[in-house]
Amino acid sequence: MNDNTSQMIGQRLMLAFEGFEPPPHVLKWIRERGTAGFTLFRPKNVANPGQVLALNETLQAAAAESGQPLLLIATDQEGGQFVALGDETTHFPSNMALGATGDPELARQVGYATGLELAAMGLNVNYAPDSDVNTNPDNPNVGIRAFGDDPALVAQMAAAMVDGQQAAGVAATAKHFPGSGESSLDPHYGVPVLNHDRERLEAVEFRPFRAAIEAGAKLIMTAHVGLPALTGRADLPATLSAEIMDGLLRQRLGFEGLLITDALDMKAITQGAGQIVDVIAALRAGVDLLLLTGDPEVRERIYGGTQLAISRGLLRPEHLAATGKRLAALRHWLSQADRPPLDVVGCAEHRQLAQKVARLSTTLVKNEAGLLPLNLPAEARIAAIMPRPADLTPADTSKYVAPALAGSIRAYHPNVDEFVVWQQPAESEIRALCEVAADYDLLIIGTISAHLQLEQATLVNELLATGVPSVTVAMRTPYDLSVYPEAKTHVCTYGLEPGALEALAAALFGAIPFQGQLPVAMPGLIETR
């Protein structure tokens, strides 16, 4: 295997590692094998913006010193539940919050601000926007990462965010093609199957990706989902299908940018020794880049297996060269951008934009008792109840968010007690809280995916049964109302970051109007979108 072919193999890999600075083995890999670039993960690589910038400068310097081209440095800075670069960056509301504003210009502005912050820290690729259409309320992996369930709205918002990010000099990645919004299984744990015919896929799942391509998205990330209508098989992930990756995405939709897999450590992809078979299948299907996590054994297995596949004629060098041309084109585009100053990260202007989105998205769903806006005597006692934030999927950084419901309400009312429960509270915890809650004048009850964690629903329904006036707040997906439909006053925030809860409190007490509109349908619960 000559050095040129070895370099071409390295250029198909997006690597990862653990450390706030590059370990020696990573620098050695860059020198000897080359790589397309790296993905940074919050728990593994992120301490603060200055450290992230220094890390990326060290990586780029190592590449330059060994004659390697510009590295792609990527992350998942989606906003909402998935903020990969830490709390010192601006925590923008979720895509679904943007969907609730109905304003593509806001999505463009958020994309631009996000891109500026990434560029300032030395990153040049964002694995965003999520362009899935969340048509399945019980989807465990998408939810508020999507703009909504209307393909026209999602298409508008995705295109606007692509435009905004790339105006800041950061390559956008529309994901997860060909669409995983209908999934009922997280691909981290198996292969989700979408049993839709071609007509439905064209009208719903594909529409946002067409818009993202038209907006000039530089990358598209694959979905490890089964689409039997296109492949004839339920067990074949789209990532491995030439009919989808090449025939549909390249030939029919005309995508000319880089195609990157979703993470290869997901169980929808074969793990262990057999993983290399799926890797070869993905490369033969037309994928350009392989997204690896930090396991050194996997990295060596994929590198060595790809070498062997080339030597056996399973992968032709000309296919690797085609990726090289696409990669060179992206690198040239990235090299034209200027790096913003580091103080743009978390700047006042961006935080004000995040607050604007939060205020415009907060949605009043039900006010049947006429409880809102709140007008309580100072001595009235409020119980603010919410689950402790936790990561519900691997695509989640909620565990870093401190409970803030009570604190936000205290800005408008002095007499507030905080109760933080487990996301799946035990029967004894529910019983004890209901006994205490009966002595309050008002309950403000936040839930986090209660429709998927029914212990929360039990808690809410028992609290409602106490007869104490109550406001329920869906602090993640709006669908929680389906498991406590007797709630008379219900609000959606599409996130639990402090900005979302500050906007919630302001709206509850009438300091600002509720302006958001549900970006998803809830048949049988709400008559209009």
Side-chain angles (χ1 to χ4, degrees):
M1 185 72 62
N2 61 47
D3 289 343
N4 185 52
T5 302
S6 296
Q7 286 290 329
M8 285 196 291
I9 294 170
Q11 296 297 323
R12 305 300 289 268
L13 307 180
M14 286 294 288
L15 302 177
F17 58 87
E18 186 165 351
F20 294 154
E21 56 186 38
H25 71 84
V26 167
L27 300 177
K28 182 173 185 288
W29 181 292
I30 293 173
R31 288 194 305 270
E32 296 180 358
R33 294 175 171 177
T35 181
F38 295 89
T39 304
L40 303 188
F41 295 95
R42 181 165 180 170
K44 296 179 179 180
N45 308 112
V46 176
N48 57 66
Q51 168 269 320
V52 172
L53 175 59
L55 167 66
N56 292 332
E57 287 179 332
T58 301
L59 290 170
Q60 295 290 11
E65 288 167 7
S66 58
Q68 303 297 321
L70 180 75
L71 297 172
L72 307 185
I73 311 289
T75 198
D76 294 277
Q77 189 78 345
E78 293 185 9
Q81 75 184 52
F82 205 3
V83 180
L85 293 177
D87 293 333
E88 293 184 43
T89 62
T90 305
H91 195 154
F92 285 106
S94 66
N95 281 354
M96 194 168 282
L98 281 165
T101 73
D103 187 350
E105 174 56 22
L106 271 182
R108 192 201 67 79
Q109 292 174 20
V110 169
Y112 182 69
T114 300
L116 286 179
E117 296 199 7
L118 266 66
M121 291 182 282
L123 292 97
N124 50 29
V125 174
N126 195 14
Y127 297 146
D130 189 306
S131 303
D132 298 311
V133 183
N134 197 72
T135 51
N136 179 9
D138 293 331
N139 189 314
N141 189 47
V142 178
I144 60 170
R145 300 170 69 195
F147 294 104
D149 67 4
D150 177 1
L153 173 69
V154 176
Q156 278 188 311
M157 292 290 186
M161 189 165 278
V162 165
D163 181 64
Q165 285 187 142
Q166 295 189 168
V170 170
T173 309
K175 64 184 184 186
H176 307 82
F177 184 82
S180 57
E182 183 66 17
S183 301
S184 57
L185 175 66
D186 188 324
H188 288 89
Y189 308 115
V191 182
V193 180
L194 275 59
N195 287 306
H196 297 313
D197 60 26
R198 287 175 179 267
E199 183 177 3
R200 149 65 193 243
L201 293 169
E202 291 282 352
V204 178
E205 276 74 16
F206 300 166
R207 185 167 176 177
F209 292 98
R210 286 197 200 93
I213 292 168
E214 290 172 4
K218 300 296 183 182
L219 297 95
I220 287 180
M221 180 179 286
T222 72
H224 302 324
V225 298
L227 286 169
L230 300 183
T231 66
R233 294 177 54 183
D235 63 339
L236 180 67
T239 302
L240 314 184
S241 167
E243 291 91 340
I244 296 174
M245 296 296 104
D246 184 54
L248 173 60
L249 183 54
R250 294 282 188 209
Q251 304 303 320
R252 284 191 48 211
L253 299 186
F255 180 60
E256 296 179 351
L258 285 162
L259 183 53
I260 183 170
T261 70
D262 205 344
L264 292 177
D265 65 342
M266 297 181 179
K267 292 184 179 177
I269 298 296
T270 304
Q271 300 300 299
Q275 184 184 50
I276 188 58
V277 176
D278 279 3
V279 166
I280 294 167
L283 295 172
R284 286 171 62 94
V287 164
D288 293 301
L289 302 177
L290 304 169
L291 201 169
L292 279 60
T293 52
D295 189 328
E297 180 182 345
V298 171
R299 184 172 62 236
E300 290 294 338
R301 182 168 64 232
I302 289 176
Y303 185 87
T306 304
Q307 282 186 318
L308 184 60
I310 293 172
S311 72
R312 297 294 189 262
L314 297 175
L315 295 171
R316 295 196 296 274
E318 56 265 31
H319 291 161
L320 300 179
T323 289
K325 291 178 181 178
R326 287 189 279 266
L327 194 52
L330 176 59
R331 284 168 163 154
H332 175 73
W333 181 83
L334 292 172
S335 71
Q336 309 303 302
D338 295 325
R339 179 180 296 170
L342 192 61
D343 61 10
V344 76
V345 178
C347 67
E349 181 181 355
H350 290 176
R351 293 188 186 277
Q352 289 166 6
L353 175 59
Q355 190 60 50
K356 179 180 180 180
V357 176
R359 288 181 168 227
L360 289 174
S361 62
T362 306
T363 304
L364 178 60
V365 180
K366 294 175 73 175
N367 192 24
E368 295 176 3
L371 193 59
L372 301 181
L374 296 174
N375 185 16
L376 302 171
E379 65 272 15
R381 300 177 67 215
I382 298 176
I385 303 163
M386 69 171 286
R388 185 171 302 282
D391 293 349
L392 301 187
T393 80
D396 203 341
T397 55
S398 298
K399 68 181 181 184
Y400 295 98
V401 180
L405 179 60
S408 67
I409 296 166
R410 289 190 189 110
Y412 296 89
H413 189 81
N415 201 358
V416 181
D417 291 331
E418 180 178 53
F419 298 89
V420 179
V421 301
W422 295 110
Q423 296 224 2
Q424 296 174 301
E427 183 179 343
S428 58
E429 186 179 12
I430 293 172
R431 185 167 56 249
L433 184 54
C434 287
E435 290 176 3
V436 172
D439 293 330
Y440 283 82
D441 299 294
L442 176 70
L443 308 180
I444 300 178
I445 312 164
T447 58
I448 302 173
S449 296
H451 68 295
L452 299 178
Q453 301 185 98
L454 295 182
E455 294 88 348
Q456 281 186 55
T458 299
L459 171 62
V460 175
N461 284 313
E462 295 199 16
L463 287 169
L464 294 174
T466 65
V468 178
S470 300
V471 179
T472 56
V473 183
M475 300 166 69
R476 192 145 162 162
T477 55
Y479 312 111
D480 287 3
L481 184 60
S482 66
V483 291
Y484 46 78
E486 297 305 312
K488 303 297 184 192
T489 310
H490 185 68
V491 179
C492 294
T493 62
Y494 315 100
L496 47 79
E497 65 273 10
L501 300 188
E502 289 167 12
L504 166 70
L508 289 178
F509 286 88
I512 61 171
F514 287 99
Q515 297 184 71
Q517 298 293 319
L518 278 174
V520 297
M522 297 203 294
L525 295 171
I526 304 299
E527 293 303 318
T528 58
R529 186 179 295 277

